[in-house]
Amino acid sequence: MKIAVLAGDGIGLEVTQQAVRVLEALDLPGVEMTHADVGAVAYRAHGHPLPSHTLAAARDADAVLFGAVGDPTCDNIEAHLRPEQAILGLRSELGLFANLRPAAGFAGLEHMSALRPEIARAINLVIVRELTGDVYFGEKKRETLPDGRREGWDRMSYAEDEVRRIAHIGFRTAQTRGHRVTSVDKANVLETSRLWREVVEEVAAEYPQVTLDHMYVDNAAMQLVKNPGAFDVVLTGNLFGDILSDLASMCVGSIGLLASASLGERRTKFGTFGLYEPIHGSAPDIAGQGKANPMATILSAAMMLRHSFGLSDEAARIERAVAQALADGITGADLGGEHGCEAIGSAVCERL
Ligand code: IPM
Ligand code: MG
């Protein structure tokens, strides 16, 4: 079981260290980890945020454990060398079109949600976000109009096969859960969304056991805050999924708790090749202070065991250990607690 650990920038380093500790505590036979630079760290050391040896290490592995990228000192460098290009490059180069972002409440944490506890308690959804298309990967341009005004543009598009394959993931995910898919789009305005809706309808016909409804993204943002418990699978495009997953994290209580899996079609010996990362970023404001919450990365490692290595029992053990640590009041600054990154990692290892 080859794991490429790409810690990246800011708090990426500290949170992946704790996730690696948790994996080591499981003492699984045959695990081999390699480390490589990514993001601003890689740009400074090798002149590129995603050096070819890092991409090769990721390709060569069965799974990638990813921390975070992003660094304010890189805000003014050329767009294609920004640290964020590393994660976008990995997603597209590795064909990771399906991003699963579960958001479920933890017992005892309801009071930390931005919502009232009785509303927060009910949240148990997964965002199935398309990850290699949409306006993220369309042509981009900066132009000067004839009258001298500057103009920037980004092309938003989806081809039907791109919608179809993520829709299948959405419906299949629903079959393992509550059998409901809410497809989120902006079909009242965007042609991209009108095609999205059409194709999702076509795919839905193959899943008679799953109910489908459609929601405009503005309404979805409202409903997620009003009644998140009403959602099961939220199926959506790259941009809307990015926005709604940050929103969902605040319904749970902290962005430091939300894990993600990015999957494609490549199979490994034990499961599906994937990249696993917390949904939060590099948080440069608290980097290096040992204050970050590593739970989202630890939970991402659990998703890795489940999806890439077929180790569902071990994944569940990690998830229970995290839930238990939270129930025991082991929280960091993001949840109003005093525990540091390493202490949280130790608490999870003890509970394993
Ligand atoms: C995420 C992040 C990334 C995204 C950034 C870092 C490019 O916000 O994974 O949600 O926009 O997809
Ligand atoms: Mg995001």
Side-chain angles (χ1 to χ4, degrees), residues 69 84 87-88 91 101 129 131 136 238 242 245-246 277 279:
V69 288
E84 289 81 2
I87 184 62
L88 298 175
R91 289 169 182 172
R101 297 189 158 186
R129 169 190 177 196
L131 204 58
Y136 267 60
N238 206 344
D242 177 47
S245 54
D246 273 30
E277 56 171 327
I279 79 156

Side-chain angles (χ1 to χ4, degrees), residues 236-252:
T236 192
N238 206 344
L239 180 63
F240 300 154
D242 177 47
I243 298 166
L244 294 180
S245 54
D246 273 30
L247 190 152
S249 75
M250 280 300 110
C251 301
V252 173

